[in-house]
Amino acid sequence: MCVFIFRRAILVALLSILSVVSLAKPVFDLDGDGKADVSVFRGSDQYWYIKKSSGGYEYVRWGLETDNLVPGDYDGDGRTDIAIHRKLIAFPETGTWWIFNSLDFSHYAARWASNNIGEFDTPVPADYDGDGKTDLAYYRRTDAVGDPGTFFILPSSTNIGISTTWGLPSLGDRPVPADYDGDGKADVAVYREGVWFILLSTNGSLRVEYFGLPSDKVIPGDFDGDGIADIAVWRESNGMWYWRSSENGLINYVPFGMAGDLPTADDFDGDGKTDIAVFRPSNGIWYVLLSESNTVEYHYFGLGSDIPIQNVYVR
């Protein structure tokens, strides 16, 4: 009996560790090695250019210059899928998601947005149901003062759409969904002029955090590696990163970057922690501060007009 209890305790501990690792998946990991891949989208030729962390390069033509980039693990194979969201109001393709599956190299299109007000939709894909797959989702605002915003989510586990009214877009709210409570599900959240309004999926309670300035770039991530998203911002005026650790509540700040840079935080070294990083359009260089070794890594990859993939969900 004692041996059984001991083995069960080890199993529970291992499952706990694995759950933390799964929650800290990189934003863009095309090769599935647990490390973020340096990558850009070039609108002039519609190619995704990828420098794989496991070695080698990959080039995929997918999407148009006017599309929204919406990478995510839509098939649940542990690798990020290349995907775009198209919302051209004058054409039938409005509100269509085009996804290239890494699992079997198939592709498919899915309609999830309304034609008549699609111009007010912001794609916010994430794993809202905790099944390990990215769900189609968008945040809708209207042009009416005082009207609330709404998250429209299509969970992959049920394929039945749900909606949650949250935020006031007329006050400048920006959608920033992430797993702020560590239950494996993305939480509905908005950032308003330095205030975070988070609807926790664990119990439906409201969490309010005063952190940041109206001009900050909002980029939540798991900077402490505890499996819970930390609220975080990058301040272009001084190149400073600020985040509040969900592990101990302490505020951290690190100078990294300069005006004109694009924040591209992700887990580039595979240690389960989000690494601070920026892409500098003026010279096409990625600067990455690796959390595992506390050293800076440089990648000469991209042109000034390219969109770094890790920047597409920065608000």
Side-chain angles (χ1 to χ4, degrees):
M1 180 63 72
C2 292
V3 173
F4 173 77
I5 293 175
F6 178 71
R7 287 178 175 173
R8 184 176 183 275
I10 293 177
L11 178 60
V12 170
L14 287 174
L15 289 174
S16 176
I17 293 172
L18 288 173
S19 67
V20 170
V21 172
S22 65
L23 293 176
K25 291 192 297 184
V27 171
F28 195 76
D29 178 15
L30 184 78
D31 51 15
D33 65 349
K35 298 179 181 180
D37 302 310
V38 170
S39 48
V40 298
F41 175 74
R42 189 162 298 160
S44 59
D45 60 11
Q46 297 97 48
Y47 269 94
W48 299 59
Y49 293 90
I50 302 150
K51 182 181 181 182
K52 296 192 291 185
S53 56
S54 58
Y57 299 86
E58 190 161 335
Y59 316 99
V60 180
R61 192 176 190 185
W62 195 255
L64 302 174
E65 188 171 9
T66 54
D67 291 338
N68 291 309
L69 309 182
V70 287
D73 186 6
Y74 295 92
D75 53 20
D77 67 346
R79 292 177 290 176
T80 304
D81 304 310
I82 290 173
I84 58 96
H85 172 261
R86 185 164 297 162
K87 53 176 186 179
L88 303 177
I89 304 305
F91 299 95
E93 294 91 346
T94 297
T96 303
W97 301 63
W98 299 84
I99 300 169
F100 186 80
N101 284 328
S102 58
L103 181 63
D104 55 10
F105 303 108
S106 64
H107 58 85
Y108 68 95
R111 293 292 299 276
W112 187 242
S114 176
N115 285 351
N116 59 344
I117 53 177
E119 70 268 28
F120 298 119
D121 295 343
T122 299
V124 286
D127 184 7
Y128 294 91
D129 55 9
D131 66 349
K133 298 180 180 180
T134 299
D135 304 313
L136 306 185
Y138 57 93
Y139 183 67
R140 173 164 296 166
R141 61 180 177 84
T142 70
D143 56 359
V145 177
D147 276 5
T150 304
F151 282 82
F152 289 90
I153 303 166
L154 186 63
S156 56
S157 57
T158 63
N159 207 36
I160 300 175
I162 59 176
S163 62
T164 301
T165 300
W166 198 252
L168 294 171
S170 61
L171 296 181
D173 288 1
R174 301 177 235 169
V176 286
D179 184 10
Y180 297 98
D181 52 16
D183 65 348
K185 301 177 182 179
D187 304 309
V188 166
V190 295
Y191 179 81
R192 180 186 303 162
E193 302 288 307
V195 185
W196 302 65
F197 296 91
I198 303 169
L199 181 62
L200 298 175
S201 57
T202 48
N203 54 21
S205 63
L206 168 65
R207 174 185 168 191
V208 180
E209 295 277 359
Y210 294 83
F211 195 83
L213 299 177
S215 59
D216 289 345
K217 300 294 184 181
V218 187
I219 182 166
D222 187 7
F223 294 89
D224 53 19
D226 66 348
I228 302 174
D230 306 308
I231 59 176
V233 299
W234 182 67
R235 192 161 299 161
E236 186 175 10
S237 60
N238 60 7
M240 193 75 72
W241 292 73
Y242 302 90
W243 76 91
R244 177 174 290 160
S245 172
S246 58
E247 188 174 40
N248 53 31
L250 296 179
I251 296 176
N252 302 269
Y253 52 93
V254 176
F256 200 80
M258 55 186 286
D261 289 350
L262 298 176
T264 53
D266 206 345
D267 184 6
F268 292 92
D269 54 15
D271 66 348
K273 298 180 181 179
T274 300
D275 303 311
I276 290 172
V278 297
F279 171 71
R280 188 159 297 163
S282 62
N283 59 13
I285 300 177
W286 294 65
Y287 300 86
V288 182
L289 180 59
L290 300 174
S291 57
E292 188 173 38
S293 60
N294 199 35
T295 59
V296 178
E297 189 174 77
Y298 305 89
H299 297 274
Y300 295 81
F301 197 78
L303 303 177
S305 58
D306 290 346
I307 300 173
I309 303 305
Q310 278 78 4
N311 183 257
V312 298
Y313 296 128
V314 176
R315 306 300 181 193

